[in-house]
Amino acid sequence: MASLLVYYAHPGHQSSRVNRPMAEAAAAVEGITFIDLYHAYPRHHIDVSLEQERLLAADVVLFQFPLFWYSTPSLVKEWIDLVLEHGFAYGSGGDRLAGKTMMLALTAAGPEDAYTPDGYQNFPLRTFLTPLEQTARLCQMRFTAPYVLHASLKAPVDGEVAPHVAGYERLLTAIRDDNYDFDAADALQSVTYATLPIRGTK
C-alpha cells in the first residue's frame, strides 16, 4: 500500500458545493492521511517541522483546492514557501522528497473549452499549473496529471458533483492500494472521473 497524504485547502469551505463533499469523502477514506490546511492553520502559522515529517512519511502528496485566479488558495502558497525549505526539498542536500509523487485535485469554474488558445482563458489549464509542476520537479518529485472538474459552479445543476466525488474516492483508494496507473496518467493532460486510469477497470 502507498502512503497517501491529502492536503485540502479552501478558505470558503462552508459555502463550497464541490470541494466540501470531496473533502468529506477524502477524510472518510481509510488508510490515508487527510489534512484540512485552513482548519489546521487558521492564522497561517504553519508548523514546518510537523509538515516535513508528514512529507517524509508519504509516498504520494495530493493537494485538493479550487483554482483561484489561476493559482492555489493563498495558504497553499504559504505552505510551499515555508515547508519546502532549501536543504530539505531542494538545493544542496535537499533530496528528502526525491522519488515521491505530487498530484493535484482541483476544480475550475470555467468550462473545459475555455482553457484553449481560442477560449477566453487563452491557455491550457496545465499552463497555469506550471509553477506547481516545476516545484515538484525541483524537489525531484513526479508530477502527474491533475484530477479536474471544469465548470464547477454549474456542477450542482448539471449533476456532476456526485460522480466527481465518487471518482475522487476511487482515485484515492486506487492510489492507496497501488492500483492507480501513474504511467498512463502521465500521458494525459488531466484526468476526470470518466478517465481515471485505474488498473482492473475499463
Side-chain angles (χ1 to χ4, degrees):
M1 293 178 65
S3 177
L4 172 58
L5 173 59
V6 176
Y7 284 112
Y8 165 60
H10 196 322
H13 170 77
Q14 292 302 326
S15 60
S16 170
R17 293 182 294 175
V18 180
N19 274 277
R20 185 174 65 178
M22 289 175 66
E24 291 169 350
V29 174
E30 294 183 359
I32 72 172
T33 301
F34 175 85
I35 307 296
D36 181 340
L37 283 175
Y38 278 92
H39 178 76
Y41 302 114
R43 302 291 183 184
H44 290 213
H45 295 158
I46 295 170
D47 186 332
V48 172
S49 295
L50 173 61
E51 296 305 331
Q52 290 181 346
E53 288 175 9
R54 286 173 170 156
L55 288 175
L56 292 175
D59 300 310
V60 180
V61 182
L62 186 149
F63 292 94
Q64 179 204 327
F65 58 88
L67 194 66
F68 279 4
W69 285 106
Y70 315 113
S71 186
T72 68
S74 62
L75 185 53
V76 176
K77 181 62 166 59
E78 181 79 357
W79 185 99
I80 290 172
D81 288 349
L82 296 177
V83 175
L84 302 184
E85 291 181 316
H86 182 277
F88 172 77
Y90 72 100
S92 179
D95 59 356
R96 306 298 299 278
L97 305 181
K100 300 179 185 294
T101 297
M102 180 190 292
M103 186 172 183
L104 311 178
L106 60 91
T107 56
E112 187 170 6
D113 62 7
Y115 292 91
T116 63
D118 296 327
Y120 69 85
Q121 301 289 18
N122 294 307
F123 299 97
L125 179 62
R126 286 289 292 264
T127 298
F128 300 111
L129 305 180
T130 302
L132 293 163
E133 181 170 357
Q134 178 55 21
T135 296
R137 292 182 185 279
L138 185 65
C139 297
Q140 303 178 60
M141 300 176 75
R142 181 181 204 168
F143 185 84
T144 194
Y147 181 65
V148 175
L149 177 68
H150 285 98
S152 59
L153 297 180
K154 292 179 57 184
V157 175
D158 293 341
E160 290 292 294
V161 176
H164 183 71
V165 172
Y168 192 42
E169 289 182 87
R170 294 199 309 275
L171 166 67
L172 300 179
T173 301
I175 293 173
R176 179 200 65 190
D177 295 344
D178 294 321
N179 289 327
Y180 191 69
D181 190 339
F182 284 103
D183 290 337
D186 287 347
L188 304 172
Q189 287 297 300
S190 63
V191 294
T192 70
Y193 64 82
T195 63
L196 284 172
I198 297 175
R199 297 187 186 91
T201 61
K202 295 182 179 179

